[in-house]
Amino acid sequence: MHLTFRKHLEKFITVNDEEFLAIVAFFKTKKVIKKENLLLEGTICRQHFFVIEGCLRKFFINDKGIEQTTEFAIENWWITDNIAFEHRLKTSFYIQAVENSEILILDRDAQEKLLEQFPKMERYFRFVYQRAYAASQMRIKYLYDFTKEEFYEHLCKNHPEFVQRIPQYLIASFLGFSPEYLSEIRKKKRS
Amino acid sequence: MHLTFRKHLEKFITVNDEEFLAIVAFFKTKKVIKKENLLLEGTICRQHFFVIEGCLRKFFINDKGIEQTTEFAIENWWITDNIAFEHRLKTSFYIQAVENSEILILDRDAQEKLLEQFPKMERYFRFVYQRAYAASQMRIKYLYDFTKEEFYEHLCKNHPEFVQRIPQYLIASFLGFSPEYLSEIRKKKRS
């Protein structure tokens, strides 16, 4: 199970067996089942999640009581509410399993100790955050630039692995429209 | 001029005088005047900008030929097109000075060498990217959650330093509506 994480680490830094064992000792592993919650709105966000296998999503509940998905994390992605995590604040998000998943959990304090003891992990997390930030900058561009239909087209073309794997009502929630409307667009696309 | 940058560095890491001098040797300093371009759409993005004094903005030109601002950077902020910068790609953005500004420029290759020679800079950039990512995650939430009017209210309340300093037509461009519409909202707010 830790092999997935080791491979991800070694994309960015080199670790020997001994170091790797000492590094993973900072993590907890957990199996979660579909729909299980890992973070609840209004609670202090103390955990950072790495997906070994499966899929998680982050969402908030809007004024109309509708779940608005803002992020998915599949294998090799980290997910948390980063502001709340860094500053030990109450979160306005939920994080929930989309599929039965296997995850690594890094507590806030453990992450700090890990970075102190293994400064090379600074480089690893620098890359993790740098790439996540770059992706979210493009996401912001798309939110300005694309109509919802265009954003769906873009997803289908550039991230078919997401569109095929994630239930349609969650894709709709991510795109910010109703499942009915998504189903109309899909019909139009097929015809 | 470098004092601003040193203060920012020392929020995250400790450097002595000798180290600091060696670190800033990787940077170029530049004074830019209002409206001067630092990055042009279609060119390879090779530079990372740190604002010592002044204000930069990032924008793209949409299908209708309108400049859509996606980001501002004031003192102590880094700005670039991060995907294009990391992978040496052509950018779809412009970066332009909003005010006469004094900036530090870190070239792509210089950034890599700097990180090799001063691994403690990994920690600095880890924090820079971590916080930028956290901010952009909240930004994405607002783009889903707020109407344009609510987003403007939020800006006025939480970032008055931006709203007071940045020309209204650019605030409008950032919010995604016309300058005329922003001026209507402001009138309504005052009355």
Side-chain angles (χ1 to χ4, degrees):
Chain A
M1 169 160 73
H2 287 142
L3 201 65
T4 309
F5 179 58
R6 181 158 188 174
K7 272 192 191 159
H8 195 250
L9 263 186
E10 291 191 331
K11 279 176 71 175
F12 307 109
I13 60 172
T14 324
V15 284
N16 61 35
D17 290 351
E18 198 186 333
E19 283 170 327
F20 183 70
L21 281 177
I23 287 168
V24 290
F26 286 88
F27 292 80
K28 288 180 279 189
T29 57
K30 190 170 182 172
K31 290 189 181 194
V32 282
I33 59 169
K34 194 175 160 175
K35 296 267 185 189
E36 190 171 334
N37 288 314
L38 288 160
L39 180 70
L40 292 174
E41 184 193 351
T43 61
I44 306 280
C45 175
R46 300 182 198 276
Q47 299 187 311
H48 204 179
F49 307 106
F50 177 84
V51 181
I52 296 282
E53 200 186 339
C55 179
L56 307 180
R57 72 175 175 120
K58 195 163 110 186
F59 64 93
F60 64 94
I61 296 182
N62 70 17
D63 284 351
K64 293 172 192 147
I66 290 166
E67 290 181 5
Q68 174 63 62
T69 302
T70 59
E71 224 174 307
F72 292 105
I74 56 171
E75 288 78 14
N76 291 323
W77 269 89
W78 284 90
I79 191 168
T80 190
D81 173 356
N82 282 282
I83 283 196
F85 178 71
E86 185 183 341
H87 302 288
R88 298 182 171 83
L89 301 174
K90 284 185 185 172
T91 180
S92 48
F93 290 98
Y94 294 78
I95 294 177
Q96 194 180 72
V98 174
E99 304 168 357
N100 294 344
S101 305
E102 228 167 322
I103 58 171
L104 293 180
I105 300 177
L106 189 55
D107 282 333
R108 177 70 181 74
D109 295 339
Q111 179 161 325
E112 213 149 280
K113 279 184 203 140
L114 171 63
L115 288 165
E116 268 168 36
Q117 282 189 38
F118 293 91
K120 64 168 71 174
M121 289 299 286
E122 293 283 1
R123 181 173 170 83
Y124 171 71
F125 278 110
R126 194 258 299 166
F127 267 110
V128 165
Y129 290 122
Q130 178 179 330
R131 295 198 169 177
Y133 177 46
S136 76
Q137 282 185 314
M138 290 314 288
R139 176 88 179 283
I140 287 171
K141 180 175 190 282
Y142 300 149
L143 282 169
Y144 278 109
D145 202 20
F146 289 166
T147 63
K148 289 171 179 183
E149 291 79 356
E150 285 168 343
F151 198 11
Y152 179 63
E153 287 293 334
H154 175 85
L155 268 188
C156 292
K157 203 175 144 194
N158 295 285
H159 302 282
E161 74 283 11
F162 270 93
V163 180
Q164 280 150 21
R165 170 174 188 171
I166 290 168
Q168 289 304 307
Y169 77 97
L170 290 182
I171 297 279
S173 160
F174 180 68
L175 295 167
F177 44 56
S178 69
E180 295 74 20
Y181 187 60
L182 178 58
S183 132
E184 260 177 56
I185 294 176
R186 294 183 70 207
K187 265 186 225 153
K188 229 191 290 175
K189 232 187 131 194
R190 276 197 300 263
S191 66
Chain B
M1 169 159 75
H2 286 142
L3 200 66
T4 309
F5 179 57
R6 181 156 188 176
K7 272 192 192 159
H8 195 250
L9 263 186
E10 292 191 331
K11 279 175 72 175
F12 308 109
I13 61 172
T14 324
V15 285
N16 62 35
D17 291 351
E18 198 186 333
E19 282 171 329
F20 183 68
L21 281 176
I23 287 168
V24 290
F26 286 87
F27 291 80
K28 289 181 277 189
T29 57
K30 190 171 182 172
K31 289 189 181 195
V32 282
I33 58 170
K34 194 174 159 175
K35 294 268 186 187
E36 190 170 335
N37 288 315
L38 288 160
L39 180 70
L40 292 174
E41 184 192 352
T43 61
I44 306 281
C45 176
R46 300 181 198 276
Q47 299 187 311
H48 203 179
F49 308 106
F50 177 83
V51 181
I52 295 284
E53 202 188 336
C55 179
L56 308 180
R57 71 175 176 121
K58 196 164 109 185
F59 64 93
F60 65 93
I61 295 181
N62 70 17
D63 284 351
K64 293 172 192 147
I66 291 167
E67 292 181 4
Q68 175 63 62
T69 302
T70 60
E71 224 174 307
F72 292 104
I74 56 171
E75 289 79 14
N76 291 322
W77 269 89
W78 285 90
I79 191 168
T80 190
D81 172 356
N82 283 282
I83 284 196
F85 179 72
E86 185 183 341
H87 303 287
R88 297 182 171 83
L89 300 173
K90 285 185 185 171
T91 179
S92 48
F93 290 98
Y94 293 80
I95 294 177
Q96 195 181 72
V98 174
E99 305 167 358
N100 295 344
S101 305
E102 229 166 321
I103 57 170
L104 293 180
I105 301 177
L106 190 55
D107 282 334
R108 178 70 180 75
D109 295 339
Q111 180 161 326
E112 212 150 281
K113 279 184 204 140
L114 171 64
L115 288 166
E116 268 167 36
Q117 282 191 36
F118 292 92
K120 64 168 71 174
M121 290 297 287
E122 293 284 2
R123 181 173 171 83
Y124 171 72
F125 278 111
R126 193 260 297 167
F127 268 110
V128 165
Y129 290 121
Q130 178 179 331
R131 294 197 169 178
Y133 177 46
S136 76
Q137 281 185 315
M138 290 313 289
R139 177 89 177 284
I140 287 170
K141 179 176 190 284
Y142 300 149
L143 283 168
Y144 278 109
D145 202 19
F146 289 166
T147 63
K148 289 172 177 182
E149 290 80 356
E150 286 168 343
F151 198 11
Y152 179 63
E153 287 293 333
H154 174 85
L155 267 189
C156 292
K157 201 174 144 195
N158 295 284
H159 302 284
E161 73 284 10
F162 270 94
V163 180
Q164 281 150 21
R165 170 174 189 170
I166 289 168
Q168 289 303 307
Y169 77 97
L170 290 181
I171 297 279
S173 159
F174 180 68
L175 295 166
F177 44 57
S178 70
E180 294 74 21
Y181 188 60
L182 177 58
S183 132
E184 259 178 56
I185 294 175
R186 294 183 70 208
K187 266 187 224 150
K188 228 192 288 175
K189 232 187 133 194
R190 275 196 300 264
S191 64

